Amino acid sequence: MRLAATLFAALRDLLGDERLVTEFQDLITYECDGHTLETAVPLAVALPETTGEVSEVVRLCRLHGVPFVARGTGTGLSGGTLSPPGGIVIALTRMNRILEIDAPNRRARVQPGVVNAHLSVASQPYGLLYAPDPSSQGACSMGGNVAENSGGPHTLKYGVTTNHVLALELVLADGNVVRTGSGIGDAPGYDLTGVVVGSEGTFGIVTEITVKLLPIPASVSTLLAVYDAVDDACAAVSAVIAAGIVPAALELIDRLGIEAVESHLKVGYPLGADAVLLIELEGDPLEIEPARVDIERICRAHGARDVRLAADEEQRRLLWKGRKQALGALGKLAPAYYTLDGVVPRARVPEAIRRIGAIGRRLGLRIANVCHVGDGNMHPLILFDPQAPGEIERVHQAGEEILGMCIALGGALSGEHGIGIEKRELMPLLFSDEDLDQMRRLRRVFDPEEQCNPGKIFPTGRPSEPALPRQVRGWV
Amino acid sequence: MTPHPPITRGELAALVGGSSPTTLTPVGGRSRRCTVQHQGVTIRCGAPGTTPLPGEGSATGRLEVELSGLDRMVEHRPEELVATVECGISLSGLQRALAAHGQCWPIAPPCSGLAEGSPSTLGGTLAANVCGLERLRFGTARDWVIGATLLRGDGSFARAGAPVVKNVSGYDLTKLYLGAWGSLGVLVEVHLKLTPIPPVRTCVVVDRSTTPDMDFNRIRATAASLSGACLVDHEGTSRLYLLLAGVETAVARDLERSGARTFDPGDPLGSPGALDAIRAGTDTHLSLRIGTDPAQATRLRSALDHQLGRETPERVVSLLGTGISWLGWTRPVEPSQCSGLVQRVRSLARDLGGFATVERAPMEAEILSWWGTRGHAARLTRAIKLALDPENRFPPPPVDDDGD
């Protein structure tokens, strides 16, 4: 307690009372992120406003031997911002300025607390946008996107966060500030920016991000293809890619997802269908019009009973509303839900969905599938009642079995949510001792004393402690 | 130099992880070919019989072992747009195999010429992080390599990534290995992300471009099929080349809008291959890759004239819109002058918001830092090297205390 009191006094000197949270009832807000199956209340929450303050908070933590974790808006889905035991949270929500939109060079500099969607809104007058678009983009922050290497529906064409980050300012675990990369994005030497992106806050705290901006596409074409069999929908996806067409987005929602969306959002998805594909093309009209014709033909050839083209922006918005709010709608079907994130080769998606169904039936759990099918990124969503005896344990078991299945099919543990605390014990399924050793060595370069978000990514050999979710939230 | 038959992955591991630690010295790290030495044995990605480039002279008298035997296309899944290949594969072989399925790895597609009959291997290309002429559209290798297997100094293999296009499972170590000049280990196998070959791709030239930046901006705003733009100052002339790729109607429209024309027969730069050879600068004595703010290509040229005077490079090649240029000195440069020249160019590049890195220099030149990495980034670089290659079996990263 003396240690905490000394640290708190130093932090209070630095930040003042209003930017240091220490009361338990206030700290509860920070007990978890969007992954609500585990919780931990931090000792305190610091709210710095500048890189200098972040650096000083980190130095104080190091001086007192207190671990810390950076946090944005708390929309993460793998428990990556869960406070380490006896640790503090460094919340970056007040570092939320867009520092520069450099239109001639098509890039922007932002602080980590900037909300993803706000950057595209600010870039729009210049005819530019920021491409990565997680479904939580109206709430999630750029710093969190960097930590988790976030994706989104349109990453099929444009890539994930790492493909759009040019340079970073990073506060290291010793408080020193380092700049990685360059505004050009082709800096010589080790790609430090590339390894910091997706490192889940274990290398330091990102305090400034330089990203690429892309021109707003000249035209957009959005299709909804309706199927009576998930297998047919997936076969159509493979056929589209095999035909040399890479849409901007290619999404799948299964029967349960369609029912949830229609009962709560009423966007016009056809009830009774086994699956819908939401397909979007962006770019030059001369390129996308023939592609649209080809896609429509391919979808019908693979059993689509209907293929609808969004006639205007309002129809397009509605189709996307159904997809982006599908999880929220599904959440209304049960007291709680748990969103998984795994990847399989896209040709194995039908098999993955069948196996997920079998796991759900065996464990007595309802599981919906909403996935970025174009890049094989599965988001099974398990509906459950945390008050029902043994249900949380069965949810955990289902999650582990599904992710193990993804790896067995040649995939990976996470497509865009990260490993965090949620999947750390599963890492040996994917990586050998040598693979993990290489990662640990790198981690110790940046953070030799492992004070920077410890307990994440790497297996501990201990099962995590399930918690009763206080609230339900999540996006994919 | 006696060529050794291509070796297997197991033999390579035994060789590198041998019981007598010996420094693996860089031989071709300054070139596109990645070469290391161990116990008198040279390991190289490049094909046999290739002419040693400046900086490779120390290979003389050593037994040469090629990685070109590790050249299998392990798996190509066209429906996934993913391939797993061994790094000794030649770029031309790789592209040929992919083209059979209408796909390519876009960093050095056949159009660029880099792959046409070139002995360059995938591993060397990745180790040196070479980009293609279509960087404007496709970016760099880091965007198109989604996993890697690295041979470590102890002879073990470490994997990162997976053959799926979306993956955030653990640290993205693959990115660390690209452009590392072989200093962290030997890239043995990689997972590549692929793209469909566009129906039409062509290279055209804009005559009399006196304001290339403005011309480029005008063309980029209207030519959706523009995949690359290359401004070449060479032998007293300045020409703007455009690479267009897409469906036939789009390319035809953009050709007309741009005011560009196809090449005259007999034009010495009348093919993307010739263009890329100029860009690669294999005939230069000193070559630097320079990064500046993308909007500064014209200013770069005036700044070079102003600050270097008579020492201005004879050749400047810029990939417009990307910020990347190559400076090439085709006349002999005194080795003793190289370091000073590099420092001045580096200073100029930093003033323009960027960096400069040495890609080729006379063997005798004393250049402190080829990469020009500074400050905490340089310290991190050295620490990473120590952590991942504690016995220094692989070449040191070319970082020094330049301006540190």
Side-chain angles (χ1 to χ4, degrees):
Chain A
M1 291 307 289
R2 187 183 301 161
L3 176 79
T6 313
L7 174 61
F8 288 2
L11 289 172
R12 201 164 275 120
D13 284 345
L14 178 70
L15 303 171
D17 284 335
E18 72 280 10
R19 291 196 285 130
L20 184 69
V21 180
T22 56
E23 296 299 323
F24 182 79
Q25 66 271 20
D26 300 323
L27 293 172
I28 287 291
T29 305
Y30 300 90
E31 69 171 355
C32 66
D33 53 20
H35 175 74
T36 55
L37 290 179
E38 279 100 5
T39 60
V41 178
L43 277 184
V45 176
L47 292 155
E49 293 179 350
T50 65
T51 298
E53 286 183 350
V54 172
S55 170
E56 195 53 35
V57 170
V58 167
R59 281 185 209 281
L60 288 169
C61 286
R62 188 183 192 213
L63 184 67
H64 291 83
V66 171
F68 56 88
V69 56
R71 177 185 166 112
T73 49
T75 60
L77 289 166
S78 60
T81 59
L82 200 72
S83 173
I88 76 160
V89 166
I90 301 174
L92 301 169
T93 43
R94 296 189 178 207
M95 294 181 69
N96 60 355
R97 286 190 300 132
I98 295 172
L99 300 170
E100 181 186 20
I101 292 186
D102 179 357
N105 290 306
R106 293 188 175 179
R107 64 192 182 202
R109 255 183 335 115
V110 301
Q111 289 186 314
V114 168
V115 169
N116 174 298
H118 294 179
L119 178 55
S120 280
V121 169
S123 306
Q124 197 171 16
Y126 304 95
L128 300 170
L129 59 77
Y130 177 62
D133 61 338
S135 293
S136 59
Q137 69 180 139
C140 66
S141 61
M142 295 290 290
N145 290 178
V146 168
E148 303 300 322
N149 193 12
S150 301
H154 289 80
T155 56
L156 177 59
K157 178 173 181 178
Y158 299 111
V160 292
T161 298
T162 190
N163 304 114
H164 298 270
V165 174
L166 296 168
L168 296 170
E169 179 185 78
L170 179 75
V171 175
L172 297 171
D174 60 5
N176 280 315
V177 180
V178 61
R179 284 190 173 270
T180 70
S182 77
I184 297 104
D186 209 8
Y190 296 161
D191 185 359
L192 300 176
T193 305
V195 288
V196 170
V197 176
S199 61
E200 306 196 19
T202 59
F203 287 177
I205 298 180
V206 170
T207 49
E208 189 181 301
I209 307 155
T210 304
V211 295
K212 293 179 201 170
L213 300 175
L214 300 182
I216 294 171
S219 63
V220 179
S221 190
T222 308
L223 296 158
L224 186 78
V226 183
Y227 288 88
D228 291 324
V230 169
D231 282 9
D232 289 346
C234 294
V237 169
S238 289
V240 166
I241 300 294
I245 304 167
V246 181
L250 226 171
E251 304 285 301
L252 181 145
I253 304 174
D254 73 358
R255 178 183 290 269
L256 187 52
I258 294 167
E259 289 171 2
V261 167
E262 276 310 297
S263 66
H264 294 97
L265 299 170
K266 300 197 181 350
V267 300
Y269 290 177
L271 286 170
D274 209 34
V276 292
L277 291 178
L278 184 59
I279 308 165
E280 188 152 278
L281 292 155
E282 289 185 350
D284 184 351
L286 287 182
E287 296 276 353
I288 69 171
E289 182 53 21
R292 183 193 65 75
V293 171
D294 283 348
I295 287 175
E296 193 165 334
R297 177 181 51 77
I298 291 167
C299 285
R300 291 190 190 282
H302 286 82
R305 71 157 122 113
D306 189 16
V307 182
R308 302 177 198 165
L309 172 67
D312 53 30
E313 182 55 29
E314 176 57 19
Q315 283 189 16
R316 174 178 176 264
R317 192 191 62 75
L318 265 180
L319 291 178
W320 274 109
K321 181 182 177 186
R323 167 60 189 87
K324 294 216 169 190
Q325 297 183 18
L327 267 68
L330 280 158
K332 292 182 168 48
L333 301 182
Y337 67 85
Y338 174 37
T339 309
L340 288 158
D341 169 41
V343 185
V344 297
R346 64 168 71 87
R348 309 298 294 271
V349 170
E351 185 178 352
I353 289 179
R354 279 196 295 276
R355 290 208 201 178
I356 289 166
I359 291 168
R361 285 189 293 278
R362 178 163 46 79
L363 295 174
L365 296 166
R366 281 196 298 166
I367 307 178
N369 286 286
V370 178
C371 56
H372 309 301
V373 65
D375 41 32
N377 190 184
M378 311 289 298
H379 289 308
L381 187 139
I382 307 172
L383 304 172
F384 68 102
D385 179 358
Q387 306 301 330
E391 192 130 309
I392 286 183
E393 286 73 17
R394 282 186 286 124
V395 168
H396 271 287
Q397 184 182 344
E400 290 188 12
E401 288 188 19
I402 288 170
L403 291 171
M405 175 269 296
C406 287
I407 292 169
L409 291 180
L413 276 174
S414 175
E416 56 186 6
H417 296 175
I419 300 301
I421 203 163
E422 177 201 19
K423 286 173 269 199
R424 63 184 180 186
E425 305 305 334
L426 303 178
M427 285 287 273
L429 295 179
L430 188 60
F431 294 111
S432 68
D433 289 346
E434 288 80 10
D435 303 337
L436 291 170
D437 172 66
Q438 192 85 337
M439 291 186 203
R440 284 195 179 94
R441 286 170 186 247
L442 184 63
R443 193 258 164 83
R444 286 195 289 268
V445 168
F446 286 87
D447 178 20
E449 294 170 23
E450 301 200 5
Q451 283 189 295
C452 192
N453 204 12
K456 311 294 160 53
I457 299 178
F458 296 102
T460 63
R462 298 187 306 273
S464 53
E465 293 290 329
L468 290 180
R470 283 193 169 80
Q471 54 185 323
V472 173
R473 53 191 166 173
W475 294 268
V476 291
Chain B
M1 196 180 298
T2 310
H4 185 281
I7 62 173
T8 66
R9 207 181 290 204
E11 288 170 345
L12 178 65
L15 179 70
V16 170
S19 57
S20 307
T22 304
T23 298
L24 300 169
T25 311
V27 175
R30 297 171 182 185
S31 76
R32 195 171 298 144
R33 287 168 296 176
C34 175
T35 314
V36 293
Q37 292 176 343
H38 176 59
Q39 294 176 308
V41 175
T42 298
I43 304 167
R44 61 187 297 162
C45 294
T50 49
T51 307
L53 298 171
E56 288 188 355
S58 56
T60 305
R62 289 185 177 269
L63 180 67
E64 186 172 296
V65 179
E66 299 163 18
L67 289 192
S68 55
L70 295 174
D71 64 348
R72 288 183 307 135
M73 170 75 77
V74 178
E75 186 177 28
H76 177 202
R77 297 189 211 153
E79 74 282 8
E80 303 287 336
L81 285 170
V82 165
T84 300
V85 293
E86 291 182 329
C87 290
I89 195 169
S90 70
L91 287 179
S92 51
L94 170 67
Q95 301 292 12
R96 264 197 310 274
L98 299 175
H101 298 272
Q103 298 179 356
C104 68
W105 186 63
I107 297 309
C111 172
S112 77
L114 191 62
E116 295 280 0
S118 162
S120 298
T121 61
L122 178 64
T125 301
L126 297 178
N129 197 18
V130 177
C131 69
L133 294 176
E134 293 177 292
R135 186 186 184 282
L136 181 69
R137 177 180 291 183
F138 293 113
T140 59
R142 75 192 294 277
D143 299 315
W144 296 91
V145 183
I146 51 179
T149 299
L150 186 85
L151 175 61
R152 306 200 295 180
D154 63 1
S156 65
F157 294 94
R159 290 176 309 119
V164 287
V165 295
K166 204 170 178 188
N167 181 8
V168 293
S169 310
Y171 299 148
D172 192 355
L173 287 165
T174 304
K175 293 209 167 38
L176 197 61
Y177 307 148
L178 304 181
W181 287 20
S183 61
L184 298 174
V186 181
L187 274 172
V188 175
E189 182 180 291
V190 287
H191 305 302
L192 302 178
K193 184 177 161 182
L194 310 173
T195 190
I197 296 174
V200 175
R201 59 197 325 167
T202 187
C203 184
V204 293
V205 60
V206 179
D207 287 321
R208 294 180 296 278
S209 178
T210 53
T211 52
D213 277 340
M214 288 174 61
D215 287 343
F216 167 71
N217 286 332
R218 173 182 58 80
I219 293 166
R220 179 158 72 164
T222 58
S225 70
L226 185 69
S227 60
C230 193
L231 178 62
V232 179
D233 289 1
H234 173 60
E235 295 180 348
T237 62
S238 178
R239 298 174 86 178
L240 174 59
Y241 299 85
L242 306 177
L243 291 113
L244 305 173
V247 297
E248 190 172 356
T249 49
V251 171
R253 176 203 60 197
D254 294 341
L255 181 58
E256 185 180 343
R257 283 181 179 174
S258 67
R261 62 169 177 83
T262 52
F263 291 103
D264 294 327
D267 186 332
L269 286 181
S271 74
L275 192 58
D276 198 63
I278 289 291
R279 195 276 292 162
T282 50
D283 58 340
T284 58
H285 293 269
L286 178 65
S287 176
L288 272 67
R289 179 165 57 91
I290 183 169
T292 63
D293 285 344
Q296 301 276 15
T298 302
R299 200 173 146 213
L300 166 65
R301 283 155 171 76
S302 58
L304 285 168
D305 287 340
H306 180 70
Q307 294 202 19
L308 300 184
R310 288 191 306 165
E311 292 179 300
T312 295
E314 294 88 354
R315 183 183 303 159
V316 182
V317 179
S318 300
L319 299 182
L320 297 185
T322 71
I324 297 299
S325 299
W326 286 267
L327 314 183
W329 285 261
T330 52
R331 65 177 180 275
V333 180
E334 284 297 320
S336 60
Q337 293 177 346
C338 283
S339 183
L341 199 51
V342 169
Q343 291 299 333
R344 288 160 68 192
V345 172
R346 198 162 270 158
S347 169
L348 177 156
R350 285 172 183 151
D351 289 345
L352 296 175
F355 56 80
T357 181
V358 185
E359 291 207 332
R360 179 181 306 278
M363 262 186 62
E364 305 80 11
E366 292 284 332
I367 294 171
L368 284 177
S369 173
W370 285 58
W371 285 350
T373 312
R374 296 194 298 175
H376 286 304
R379 281 192 280 276
L380 277 173
T381 296
R382 287 189 285 266
I384 290 170
K385 167 66 178 174
L386 184 63
L388 300 191
D389 181 27
E391 293 183 342
N392 269 316
R393 296 214 164 191
F394 300 106
V399 174
D400 210 290
D401 292 325
D402 169 44
D404 195 352

